[in-house]
């Protein structure tokens, strides 16, 4: 009998986990709290609102490893390639723009509509006879020792209809507000660090006729807040204002949203969004806080594991939330579940991956205990996720302030020149390693720190040579006069 996998959550990460499990011949059941997103009548829950998503190399590789090449091609055809940031500002006399390419080798991010991505993955699942998806079902009870989950049908108000299901493994992919994580905390000493940040966001729509390049993420940075715009497939832009709660409350009270934009985001209104539309959208759309969630461990025994936002929710400023979640699925299945009896009967073991060769377990000719493998997964994945959570927080500062500093631009220029013209050094910017490779996040952090130390040392040497040259020139100009002895003492 095929092993049974129950997945809680049919968002992009949960749907991809379903594809991976189905490809391995497992019996898959997915339970989703919302209605089927492919139906025109489906209405997302308020807390599932999402900022536009960007697919980068990690997420793209995770999709490709699902083995559904036509599906991946369909998804990529519905994305908008974005190759640069465009920073908007204003001089004394005119509006200004500055284009900053993400990568010296012309790699691009791919902006994707969350609903469209989700629909494509759910459609891909529908072709598997060993997959069943249950919509409008809420996880009600979970017994991880007996491996029994109980779901309630939410379509009928006050309904007592329940659905009990046995499983071999349950995967929690039910997002930042994970009910699976809540039940997991009753079985293991789960440490949860949930930080509500004083960063709120409100969404705006920019219609066609804007004149902005569609291959850029547009930023209007300020020291303490910012406005961004990401292109949509239709040629429109989805925009977001990020600011503290106090700013939103002040604007709601005063109603001076147009004046606020005129002062801080020049050119947005009325040039890109009419003043009437800006006011209407601001007062109609709610604003939401961002959060940072980290927990440990991600698993319990051989019965449960968390992936995606259920394990680690992060702020969106590095565009890695989706990509990290999709990568979770690839690593979980290819590096760990493929070495267990969950898929040995249906799939030939792959060759050891780079991650497996780094000391956290080795592949063998027979199945390994699933509880040990899930523990290895937690130990391997957590350090990486903590790094990207931190980088996402830091990138908010960079997007608001760093992109405007000379030091940021100089370091980026040096690192990109070394990457392009001296590739044998293996030098690259932090952004390139995060977004356009599948290098472990922990390795990215180590590499960036090493490169920073080297640049500091080189800068110190260059400064010393300049200082010595200046002294020599000064001596030659002054010649042999009475000032020389005092100068010699000063520079001794």
């Amino acid at each position: 009998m095929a092993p049974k996998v129950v997945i809680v959550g049919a968002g992009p990460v949960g749907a991809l986990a379903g594809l991976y499990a189905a490809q391995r011949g497992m019996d898959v059941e997915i339970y989703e709290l919302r209605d089927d997103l492919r139906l025109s009548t489906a209405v997302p829950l308020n807390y599932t609102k999402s900022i536009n998503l960007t697919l980068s190399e990690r997420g793209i590789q995770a999709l490709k490893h699902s083995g559904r090449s036509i599906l991946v091609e369909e998804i990529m055809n519905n994305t908008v390639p974005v190759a640069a940031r465009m920073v908007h500002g204003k001089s004394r006399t005119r509006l200004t723009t500055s284009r900053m390419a993400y990568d010296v080798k012309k790699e691009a991010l791919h902006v994707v509509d969350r609903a469209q991505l989700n629909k494509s993955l759910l459609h891909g699942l529908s072709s598997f006879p060993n997959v069943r998806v249950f919509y409008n079902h809420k996880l009600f009870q979970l017994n991880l020792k007996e491996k029994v989950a109980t779901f309630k049908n939410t379509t009928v108000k006050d309904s007592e209809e329940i659905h009990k299901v046995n499983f071999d493994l349950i995967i929690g992919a039910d997002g930042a507000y994970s009910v699976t994580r809540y039940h997991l905390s009753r079985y293991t000493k789960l440490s949860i660090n949930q930080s509500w940040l004083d960063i709120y966001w409100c969404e705006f729509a920019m219609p066609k006729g804007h004149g902005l390049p569609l291959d850029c993420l547009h930023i209007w940075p300020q020291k303490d807040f910012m406005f961004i715009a990401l292109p949509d497939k239709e040629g429109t832009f989805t925009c977001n204002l990020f600011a503290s709660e106090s700013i939103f409350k002040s604007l709601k009270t005063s109603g001076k949203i147009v004046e606020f934009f005129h002062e801080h985001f020049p050119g947005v209104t009325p040039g890109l969004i009419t003043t009437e539309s800006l006011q209407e959208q601001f007062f109609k759309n709610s604003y939401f806080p961002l959060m940072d969630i980290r927990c440990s461990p991600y698993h319990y025994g051989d019965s449960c594991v968390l992936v995606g936002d259920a394990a680690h929710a992060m702020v969106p400023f590095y565009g890695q939330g989706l990509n990290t979640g999709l990568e979770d699925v690839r690593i979980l299945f290819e590096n760990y579940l493929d070495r267990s009896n969950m898929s040995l009967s249906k799939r030939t073991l792959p060759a050891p991956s780079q991650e497996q060769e780094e000391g956290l377990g080795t592949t063998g000719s027979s199945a390994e205990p699933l509880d040990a493998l899930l523990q290895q997964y937690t130990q391997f994945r957590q350090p990486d996720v903590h790094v990207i959570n931190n980088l996402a927080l830091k990138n908010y500062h960079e997007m608001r302030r760093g992109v405007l500093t000379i030091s940021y631009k100089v370091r980026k220029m040096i690192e990109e020149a070394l990457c392009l013209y001296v590739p044998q050094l293996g030098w690259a910017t932090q952004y390139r390693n995060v977004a356009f490779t599948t290098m472990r996040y922990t390795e990215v952090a180590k590499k960036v720190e090493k490169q920073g130390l080297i640049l500091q040392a080189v800068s110190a040497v260059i400064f010393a040579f300049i200082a010595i040259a200046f002294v020599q020139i000064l001596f030659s100009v002054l010649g042999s006069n009475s000032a020389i002895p005092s100068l010699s003492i000063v520079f001794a």
Side-chain angles (χ1 to χ4, degrees), residues 37-56:
L37 290 178
R38 294 170 295 176
L39 301 177
S40 59
T41 56
V43 179
L45 297 172
N46 286 337
Y47 63 74
T48 61
K49 283 181 68 65
S50 173
I51 297 165
N52 265 19
L53 305 175
T54 54
L55 277 171
S56 61

Side-chain angles (χ1 to χ4, degrees), residues 49-254:
K49 283 181 68 65
S50 173
I51 297 165
N52 265 19
L53 305 175
T54 54
L55 277 171
S56 61
E57 186 65 17
R58 298 170 194 277
I60 294 170
Q61 286 302 317
L63 291 172
K64 288 181 177 179
H65 284 223
S66 70
R68 312 294 286 182
S69 57
I70 295 178
L71 173 62
V72 176
E73 183 178 353
E74 173 193 325
I75 290 172
M76 296 307 295
N77 285 340
N78 282 308
T79 66
V80 181
V82 170
R85 291 171 177 164
M86 182 164 282
V87 180
H88 295 258
K90 185 178 181 180
S91 68
R92 292 183 179 180
T93 57
R94 63 185 181 86
L95 298 178
T96 62
T97 59
S98 175
R99 182 185 174 100
M100 300 180 184
Y102 281 121
D103 182 59
V104 70
K105 294 186 178 180
K106 305 186 186 305
E107 297 280 2
L109 303 176
H110 296 267
V111 179
V112 61
D113 176 76
R114 179 190 173 93
Q116 184 59 51
L117 171 64
N118 212 159
K119 289 176 183 178
S120 296
L121 290 169
L122 290 172
H123 181 71
L125 280 170
S126 64
S127 64
F128 286 94
N130 54 327
V131 175
R132 288 183 292 172
V133 184
F134 298 86
Y135 296 99
N136 302 300
H137 276 72
K138 180 179 181 180
L139 179 60
F140 180 60
Q141 293 178 341
L142 182 58
N143 188 325
L144 292 179
K145 291 185 177 179
E146 300 295 330
K147 295 188 175 182
V148 178
T150 304
F151 295 88
K152 269 191 175 182
N153 190 325
T154 62
T155 54
V156 181
K157 188 177 181 180
D158 300 325
S159 172
E160 295 299 322
E161 178 187 344
I162 62 172
H163 183 181
K164 282 193 174 183
V165 57
N166 297 300
F167 57 83
D168 293 296
L169 177 66
I170 188 167
I171 299 176
D174 46 344
Y177 301 89
S178 173
V179 178
T180 312
R181 186 179 64 232
Y182 165 76
H183 287 289
L184 176 63
S185 69
R186 303 175 65 186
Y187 288 87
T188 187
K189 295 177 181 178
L190 188 69
S191 298
I192 304 176
N193 183 356
Q194 177 174 308
S195 302
W196 290 95
L197 307 171
D198 191 22
I199 308 172
Y200 286 70
W201 64 277
C202 181
E203 184 175 291
F204 297 83
M206 184 187 297
K208 293 181 180 179
H210 44 71
L212 296 179
L214 290 172
D215 65 339
C216 292
L217 181 154
H218 296 266
I219 307 176
W220 285 259
Q222 293 292 317
K223 288 184 177 180
D224 299 312
F225 45 86
M226 68 178 181
F227 187 73
I228 69 170
L230 283 85
D232 302 311
K233 188 70 174 176
E234 298 76 21
T236 58
F237 274 85
T238 297
C239 312
N240 291 281
L241 169 62
F242 294 96
S244 66
E245 184 179 21
S246 62
I247 289 177
F248 277 104
K249 284 185 175 180
S250 174
L251 291 172
K252 289 284 186 181
T253 302
S254 68

